[in-house]
Structure formats: structure tokens, C-alpha cells
Amino acid sequence: MPRFRHILDTMPPYKPGKAVVSADGRSYKLSSNESPYDPLPSVVEAVAEGARQINRYPDPGAVKLTEAIAERYDVPFEHIALGAGSVTVAQQLFESVGEPGVEVVYAWRSFEAYPLLADLAGVTSVRVPLAGEDHDLDAMAEAINDRTRMVFVCNPNNPTGTSIRRDALVPFLDRVPENVLVVLDEAYREYVRDEDVPDGLTLYRDRPNVCVLRTFSKAYGLAGLRVGYLIGQEPVAAAIRKTIIPFAVNHLAQIAAVASLKAEDELLERVERVVKERSRVREALIEQGWTVPPTEANFVWLRLGERTLDFAAACAVEGVAVRPFAGEGARVSIGDPEANDAFLAAAKEFRG
């Protein structure tokens, strides 16, 4: 048999959110944090027109998209690096620092791709347990040593939805050595309404070791096209650009992302609807007797422990797919009102 890396024998595959169907044909996919809305007509039109050129390779530098991001956030063109979704940009980050003996610090539980990416890059994961449902920033700072090359801070955190406020994040950044890269993973930034949760782009400008990850998959509704980006100081962005696979961001993805930025006001109206539904769902769950941490993302988190898989199975019977983490809890995306009502009914029935 061909020989492969030993690490592959110990790596569990990434498990994407699944869809389920009830006995009467109902199906509500609340397991992948996707936008519940169809693409905007203007975006679909731009993609349809762009499809006439798919016999050609995409622009390898994604210049128009990079220019659009730079204009949107008032950052230099050279501060931006792109990838096929923010998870791929995260992979590029791991590849950029990965050497034998290197350690990367992150909270756990957090985004489940972090351990997989760390293993593939050959770095050592240092998982710092959450304090309740929140990042334990003091413990994370204490975990940094001479072998630490990078720290991931998922804000809001996936899957708990909790966020780190400025008065906690800034002192933490001050404690991190200047030669350790801090990645603020802000995939859900557009859903944040707590004014005390800082925008990472206000922090990176005078901190050469801080960068920000963003995505078009969630609020912008382009999960199926895979576009993510990093904003950081020029040396950071330049290093990440060196690790990108040529033509990774495809032609239609670039077009759709540019069109989405042009239609941002309309898209953000949809985000506001999700935020309102988020509040309604959380309040209803609390009324049912559940403990639900405050969330600034497009999902809620239920700490279920050993009941997690039973809860997911009960929801599936009603045609509602949630994202279970065995022995810990379930993450439930916010969908349209019909899907959310179906979930709330299933949660109420399970609680009894």
C-alpha cells in the first residue's frame, strides 16, 4: 500500500452540517450557519453574466475584489489576502507559521477546523478550555511561550456565539509578544450588535502582529462560492498570499463578492432580520427554561452535555437539522421564521 503521513491515521474528517427530512417531508437545515435567504437578484445577474467567461482562468490576484474590499474598509490594497473561504485563509495562516516544534494557541471549544488545520500544518495545538462559554484570555496569555507562533481568537466564538469585549481583548493583545501573530477570526462580525465588542479592523492598524479574518459565506450569502479574506499589516498579508493555491478564488466567486459589496445595504437589511429572529429565538428558549448564553452570531448554543445527541435526534424527527457536538451541546443556526418556529416547537417538546 502507498505510505501516507502518520497524522492522517489520527485525524477525524471535518463533519459538515447535514440536512434531515421529517416523515411528512419537512426539512429545515439549521446546522451550517448559512444565510436563510436566496442570493440577491443583482448578484445572480452578475454571476450569470460572468459565466460566459468560465472557459478562462480567474484573475489570480483578484484585483477588482481586492480593490473593492480595500475601498469598503478604507485599508491599503497591500493589507489584503484572499482565499477560498475564511477557513482556507486560516489554512494559509497555519501553513505560513508551520514548522516542527511550533505551537498555536486557541480556545476550546471553538471553530472545529482549527485542530485539523494545525495537524495538517504539523504544528502543536494548545487548546485552552473555555471559561464557561467564553474565551479564558488570561489562561490563553499564560499558555504563550517561546514556541508559540500564532494565537486564534474567534470573536464571536463558534459554536457558543459569545463575544469578547474591548475592555478584555485590548489588555490581552497587550500581553501577547510582538513576534506572535494574533488572528481575530470574525466570520460573524456583521451580526454583532454589542457596541462594546470591538471591530478587529480598529485594532490591527497600529498592531503589526494582529490580523483579521472575514468571509462572504455568512452575512453575504455566498457560502456556495467560497470567498474569504484577511486584513493585516503588509508583511502578514504578503506571507499569506505566498501560501495561496493559484486561482483558488474562482472567477464567479470574485464577481459575486464584488456585486455583494455593491449591494451591501440590501444585504445588511437581511442581516438585521436575522438579528431580530436571533433575539426572538433566544428569548423563547429562555421562556421554555433553557439556559442560552448571549450570542452575537447567527446561531444559538445549548449546553446539553450527555443529552446532546438525543436532542439532535428529536429535532431531526421534526425535520430540523441542528449541529450537535457529542457530550457538549448543540449549535442551532437562525433561519427564517418558519424554520425557527419548527425548531422552537421541537425544543419545547424535548424539554417536556
Side-chain angles (χ1 to χ4, degrees):
M1 291 291 292
R3 290 181 294 176
F4 299 99
R5 294 174 61 193
H6 294 301
I7 191 66
L8 299 182
D9 295 330
T10 65
M11 287 181 60
Y14 177 80
K15 296 180 180 180
K18 297 180 180 179
V20 297
V21 181
S22 67
D24 59 0
R26 291 176 298 148
S27 182
Y28 305 102
K29 189 183 178 195
L30 302 181
S31 55
S32 295
N33 298 342
E34 299 155 329
S35 170
Y37 302 108
D38 294 337
L40 289 174
S42 61
V43 175
V44 173
E45 183 179 347
V47 170
E49 180 64 27
R52 299 176 185 275
Q53 293 87 43
I54 60 172
N55 59 308
R56 305 295 183 184
Y57 284 108
D59 173 10
V63 171
K64 290 183 179 179
L65 176 54
T66 304
E67 288 176 341
I69 294 171
E71 180 179 358
R72 166 64 181 84
Y73 294 110
D74 189 26
V75 299
F77 182 98
E78 295 78 15
H79 285 199
I80 300 167
L82 295 169
S86 61
V87 66
T88 303
V89 184
Q91 182 180 26
Q92 295 167 228
L93 282 158
F94 276 97
E95 293 291 343
S96 298
V97 304
E99 291 177 335
V102 165
E103 294 183 357
V104 175
V105 174
Y106 51 86
W108 196 252
R109 174 171 292 275
S110 192
F111 182 34
E112 62 190 290
Y114 295 158
L116 303 178
L117 299 178
D119 288 348
L120 284 173
V123 304
T124 300
S125 288
V126 178
R127 306 182 193 182
V128 179
L130 295 173
E133 310 297 355
D134 302 304
H135 279 63
D136 188 340
L137 294 180
D138 284 338
M140 289 178 68
E142 292 170 2
I144 296 172
N145 57 42
D146 291 341
R147 297 180 296 279
T148 307
R149 195 72 61 86
M150 186 166 64
V151 177
F152 264 83
V153 178
C154 192
N155 195 29
N157 187 45
N158 178 10
T160 62
T162 54
S163 294
I164 305 167
R165 291 180 164 178
R166 180 179 297 274
D167 60 0
L169 184 57
V170 170
F172 169 76
L173 296 178
D174 290 340
R175 293 179 64 181
V176 177
E178 293 181 356
N179 63 348
V180 173
L181 180 63
V182 180
V183 182
L184 301 179
D185 190 344
E186 296 185 345
Y188 302 94
R189 174 64 205 176
E190 291 82 4
Y191 300 99
V192 173
R193 294 297 178 270
D194 185 343
E195 294 182 355
D196 291 328
V197 177
D199 182 333
L201 298 182
T202 66
L203 300 174
Y204 99 94
R205 296 175 189 268
D206 60 354
R207 295 176 182 270
N209 68 325
V210 172
C211 66
V212 179
L213 282 186
R214 296 279 177 89
T215 182
F216 284 91
S217 294
K218 313 300 182 186
Y220 290 87
L222 300 183
L225 285 176
R226 316 304 301 127
V227 190
Y229 58 97
L230 171 147
I231 297 178
Q233 297 288 334
E234 186 171 357
V236 176
I240 304 314
R241 285 194 295 270
K242 290 179 180 179
T243 61
I244 190 172
I245 296 173
F247 309 113
V249 182
N250 72 65
H251 175 61
L252 298 183
Q254 293 182 35
I255 288 173
V258 171
S260 294
L261 287 172
K262 291 179 180 178
E264 189 173 51
D265 289 344
E266 191 175 356
L267 282 166
L268 293 182
E269 289 178 7
R270 294 177 165 192
V271 171
E272 194 59 37
R273 282 181 246 162
V274 172
V275 170
K276 289 179 180 178
E277 278 293 289
R278 177 182 74 191
S279 297
R280 183 178 76 87
V281 169
R282 180 171 182 264
E283 290 167 5
L285 288 169
I286 291 172
E287 288 179 5
Q288 291 179 11
W290 298 96
T291 298
V292 189
T295 174
E296 294 293 329
N298 67 337
F299 53 84
V300 294
W301 169 254
L302 297 176
R303 177 69 69 177
L304 294 157
E306 295 305 316
R307 299 181 299 158
T308 297
L309 296 183
D310 291 339
F311 178 80
C315 289
V317 168
E318 302 301 324
V320 179
V322 303
R323 187 62 177 270
F325 297 87
E328 298 181 64
R331 188 195 69 198
V332 187
S333 307
I334 301 300
D336 60 29
E338 180 183 346
N340 298 333
D341 287 342
F343 161 65
L344 290 171
K348 185 176 182 179
E349 177 68 20
F350 183 84
R351 191 161 183 85

